[in-house]
PDB file of all heavy atoms in Angstrom:
ATOM      1  N   ILE A 169      93.601 124.261  84.556  1.00  0.00           N
ATOM      2  CA  ILE A 169      92.756 125.397  84.176  1.00  0.00           C
ATOM      3  C   ILE A 169      91.395 124.864  83.738  1.00  0.00           C
ATOM      4  O   ILE A 169      91.319 123.976  82.887  1.00  0.00           O
ATOM      5  CB  ILE A 169      93.403 126.211  83.034  1.00  0.00           C
ATOM      6  CG1 ILE A 169      94.793 126.709  83.469  1.00  0.00           C
ATOM      7  CG2 ILE A 169      92.507 127.395  82.642  1.00  0.00           C
ATOM      8  CD1 ILE A 169      95.626 127.279  82.339  1.00  0.00           C
ATOM      9  N   ALA A 170      90.356 125.400  84.351  1.00  0.00           N
ATOM     10  CA  ALA A 170      89.011 124.938  84.007  1.00  0.00           C
ATOM     11  C   ALA A 170      88.059 126.114  83.977  1.00  0.00           C
ATOM     12  O   ALA A 170      88.378 127.207  84.457  1.00  0.00           O
ATOM     13  CB  ALA A 170      88.550 123.903  85.027  1.00  0.00           C
ATOM     14  N   ARG A 171      86.898 125.861  83.384  1.00  0.00           N
ATOM     15  CA  ARG A 171      85.878 126.918  83.320  1.00  0.00           C
ATOM     16  C   ARG A 171      84.510 126.356  83.652  1.00  0.00           C
ATOM     17  O   ARG A 171      84.223 125.187  83.369  1.00  0.00           O
ATOM     18  CB  ARG A 171      85.810 127.476  81.891  1.00  0.00           C
ATOM     19  CG  ARG A 171      86.868 128.489  81.567  1.00  0.00           C
ATOM     20  CD  ARG A 171      86.376 129.251  80.354  1.00  0.00           C
ATOM     21  NE  ARG A 171      87.383 130.117  79.787  1.00  0.00           N
ATOM     22  CZ  ARG A 171      87.735 130.079  78.506  1.00  0.00           C
ATOM     23  NH1 ARG A 171      87.204 129.182  77.694  1.00  0.00           N
ATOM     24  NH2 ARG A 171      88.617 130.936  78.048  1.00  0.00           N
ATOM     25  N   GLY A 172      83.705 127.218  84.241  1.00  0.00           N
ATOM     26  CA  GLY A 172      82.335 126.810  84.523  1.00  0.00           C
ATOM     27  C   GLY A 172      81.424 128.022  84.545  1.00  0.00           C
ATOM     28  O   GLY A 172      81.874 129.169  84.447  1.00  0.00           O
ATOM     29  N   ILE A 173      80.133 127.747  84.688  1.00  0.00           N
ATOM     30  CA  ILE A 173      79.119 128.809  84.681  1.00  0.00           C
ATOM     31  C   ILE A 173      78.376 128.774  86.013  1.00  0.00           C
ATOM     32  O   ILE A 173      78.036 127.685  86.493  1.00  0.00           O
ATOM     33  CB  ILE A 173      78.137 128.583  83.500  1.00  0.00           C
ATOM     34  CG1 ILE A 173      78.911 128.780  82.183  1.00  0.00           C
ATOM     35  CG2 ILE A 173      76.936 129.516  83.585  1.00  0.00           C
ATOM     36  CD1 ILE A 173      78.145 128.328  80.963  1.00  0.00           C
ATOM     37  N   ASP A 174      78.127 129.947  86.574  1.00  0.00           N
ATOM     38  CA  ASP A 174      77.517 130.029  87.911  1.00  0.00           C
ATOM     39  C   ASP A 174      76.282 129.148  88.088  1.00  0.00           C
ATOM     40  O   ASP A 174      76.198 128.370  89.022  1.00  0.00           O
ATOM     41  CB  ASP A 174      77.225 131.502  88.285  1.00  0.00           C
ATOM     42  CG  ASP A 174      76.421 132.268  87.224  1.00  0.00           C
ATOM     43  OD1 ASP A 174      75.998 131.636  86.231  1.00  0.00           O
ATOM     44  OD2 ASP A 174      76.227 133.486  87.395  1.00  0.00           O
ATOM     45  N   THR A 175      75.347 129.264  87.158  1.00  0.00           N
ATOM     46  CA  THR A 175      74.063 128.570  87.347  1.00  0.00           C
ATOM     47  C   THR A 175      74.059 127.137  86.810  1.00  0.00           C
ATOM     48  O   THR A 175      73.059 126.447  86.900  1.00  0.00           O
ATOM     49  CB  THR A 175      72.932 129.359  86.657  1.00  0.00           C
ATOM     50  OG1 THR A 175      73.360 129.642  85.323  1.00  0.00           O
ATOM     51  CG2 THR A 175      72.650 130.657  87.400  1.00  0.00           C
ATOM     52  N   ASP A 176      75.164 126.708  86.260  1.00  0.00           N
ATOM     53  CA  ASP A 176      75.213 125.362  85.678  1.00  0.00           C
ATOM     54  C   ASP A 176      75.922 124.403  86.640  1.00  0.00           C
ATOM     55  O   ASP A 176      77.046 123.955  86.387  1.00  0.00           O
ATOM     56  CB  ASP A 176      75.939 125.432  84.328  1.00  0.00           C
ATOM     57  CG  ASP A 176      75.987 124.075  83.630  1.00  0.00           C
ATOM     58  OD1 ASP A 176      75.333 123.123  84.114  1.00  0.00           O
ATOM     59  OD2 ASP A 176      76.695 123.983  82.619  1.00  0.00           O
ATOM     60  N   ALA A 177      75.229 124.101  87.744  1.00  0.00           N
ATOM     61  CA  ALA A 177      75.842 123.272  88.781  1.00  0.00           C
ATOM     62  C   ALA A 177      76.204 121.884  88.257  1.00  0.00           C
ATOM     63  O   ALA A 177      77.178 121.282  88.673  1.00  0.00           O
ATOM     64  CB  ALA A 177      74.906 123.156  89.978  1.00  0.00           C
ATOM     65  N   LYS A 178      75.419 121.402  87.325  1.00  0.00           N
ATOM     66  CA  LYS A 178      75.632 120.055  86.804  1.00  0.00           C
ATOM     67  C   LYS A 178      77.045 119.923  86.235  1.00  0.00           C
ATOM     68  O   LYS A 178      77.700 118.897  86.417  1.00  0.00           O
ATOM     69  CB  LYS A 178      74.588 119.761  85.716  1.00  0.00           C
ATOM     70  CG  LYS A 178      74.597 118.312  85.265  1.00  0.00           C
ATOM     71  CD  LYS A 178      73.373 117.960  84.451  1.00  0.00           C
ATOM     72  CE  LYS A 178      73.440 118.316  82.981  1.00  0.00           C
ATOM     73  NZ  LYS A 178      74.420 117.908  82.107  1.00  0.00           N
ATOM     74  N   ASN A 179      77.475 120.947  85.552  1.00  0.00           N
ATOM     75  CA  ASN A 179      78.819 120.895  84.971  1.00  0.00           C
ATOM     76  C   ASN A 179      79.881 121.533  85.869  1.00  0.00           C
ATOM     77  O   ASN A 179      81.060 121.194  85.773  1.00  0.00           O
ATOM     78  CB  ASN A 179      78.826 121.575  83.600  1.00  0.00           C
ATOM     79  CG  ASN A 179      78.093 120.739  82.573  1.00  0.00           C
ATOM     80  OD1 ASN A 179      78.412 119.568  82.358  1.00  0.00           O
ATOM     81  ND2 ASN A 179      77.063 121.318  81.960  1.00  0.00           N
ATOM     82  N   LEU A 180      79.447 122.468  86.712  1.00  0.00           N
ATOM     83  CA  LEU A 180      80.427 123.154  87.572  1.00  0.00           C
ATOM     84  C   LEU A 180      80.914 122.231  88.692  1.00  0.00           C
ATOM     85  O   LEU A 180      82.096 122.188  89.021  1.00  0.00           O
ATOM     86  CB  LEU A 180      79.808 124.436  88.163  1.00  0.00           C
ATOM     87  CG  LEU A 180      80.704 125.247  89.097  1.00  0.00           C
ATOM     88  CD1 LEU A 180      81.993 125.680  88.384  1.00  0.00           C
ATOM     89  CD2 LEU A 180      79.975 126.483  89.638  1.00  0.00           C
ATOM     90  N   SER A 181      79.991 121.472  89.259  1.00  0.00           N
ATOM     91  CA  SER A 181      80.353 120.641  90.400  1.00  0.00           C
ATOM     92  C   SER A 181      81.485 119.639  90.086  1.00  0.00           C
ATOM     93  O   SER A 181      82.451 119.546  90.843  1.00  0.00           O
ATOM     94  CB  SER A 181      79.111 119.930  90.937  1.00  0.00           C
ATOM     95  OG  SER A 181      79.436 119.250  92.123  1.00  0.00           O
ATOM     96  N   PRO A 182      81.403 118.919  88.963  1.00  0.00           N
ATOM     97  CA  PRO A 182      82.520 118.013  88.640  1.00  0.00           C
ATOM     98  C   PRO A 182      83.836 118.757  88.465  1.00  0.00           C
ATOM     99  O   PRO A 182      84.908 118.240  88.823  1.00  0.00           O
ATOM    100  CB  PRO A 182      82.098 117.378  87.316  1.00  0.00           C
ATOM    101  CG  PRO A 182      80.646 117.633  87.162  1.00  0.00           C
ATOM    102  CD  PRO A 182      80.295 118.822  87.995  1.00  0.00           C
ATOM    103  N   VAL A 183      83.753 119.974  87.934  1.00  0.00           N
ATOM    104  CA  VAL A 183      84.971 120.771  87.769  1.00  0.00           C
ATOM    105  C   VAL A 183      85.562 121.098  89.147  1.00  0.00           C
ATOM    106  O   VAL A 183      86.773 121.002  89.370  1.00  0.00           O
ATOM    107  CB  VAL A 183      84.665 122.065  86.977  1.00  0.00           C
ATOM    108  CG1 VAL A 183      85.773 123.085  87.156  1.00  0.00           C
ATOM    109  CG2 VAL A 183      84.466 121.746  85.500  1.00  0.00           C
ATOM    110  N   LEU A 184      84.701 121.449  90.090  1.00  0.00           N
ATOM    111  CA  LEU A 184      85.176 121.776  91.445  1.00  0.00           C
ATOM    112  C   LEU A 184      85.796 120.545  92.102  1.00  0.00           C
ATOM    113  O   LEU A 184      86.818 120.634  92.782  1.00  0.00           O
ATOM    114  CB  LEU A 184      84.021 122.305  92.300  1.00  0.00           C
ATOM    115  CG  LEU A 184      83.395 123.632  91.841  1.00  0.00           C
ATOM    116  CD1 LEU A 184      82.216 123.994  92.735  1.00  0.00           C
ATOM    117  CD2 LEU A 184      84.441 124.760  91.861  1.00  0.00           C
ATOM    118  N   LYS A 185      85.166 119.403  91.884  1.00  0.00           N
ATOM    119  CA  LYS A 185      85.720 118.168  92.452  1.00  0.00           C
ATOM    120  C   LYS A 185      87.099 117.876  91.858  1.00  0.00           C
ATOM    121  O   LYS A 185      88.035 117.517  92.570  1.00  0.00           O
ATOM    122  CB  LYS A 185      84.778 116.991  92.174  1.00  0.00           C
ATOM    123  CG  LYS A 185      83.563 116.989  93.080  1.00  0.00           C
ATOM    124  CD  LYS A 185      82.630 115.826  92.774  1.00  0.00           C
ATOM    125  CE  LYS A 185      81.308 116.057  93.492  1.00  0.00           C
ATOM    126  NZ  LYS A 185      80.221 115.237  92.979  1.00  0.00           N
ATOM    127  N   ALA A 186      87.202 118.037  90.553  1.00  0.00           N
ATOM    128  CA  ALA A 186      88.496 117.787  89.890  1.00  0.00           C
ATOM    129  C   ALA A 186      89.547 118.759  90.412  1.00  0.00           C
ATOM    130  O   ALA A 186      90.706 118.388  90.649  1.00  0.00           O
ATOM    131  CB  ALA A 186      88.348 117.930  88.378  1.00  0.00           C
ATOM    132  N   ALA A 187      89.132 120.004  90.610  1.00  0.00           N
ATOM    133  CA  ALA A 187      90.069 121.010  91.120  1.00  0.00           C
ATOM    134  C   ALA A 187      90.544 120.622  92.512  1.00  0.00           C
ATOM    135  O   ALA A 187      91.730 120.724  92.841  1.00  0.00           O
ATOM    136  CB  ALA A 187      89.393 122.377  91.160  1.00  0.00           C
TER     137      ALA A 187
END
Side-chain angles (χ1 to χ4, degrees):
Chain A
I169 302 168
R171 279 199 190 127
I173 293 169
D174 52 5
T175 50
D176 182 8
K178 189 166 83 56
N179 289 304
L180 179 58
S181 187
V183 163
L184 296 177
K185 284 179 192 163

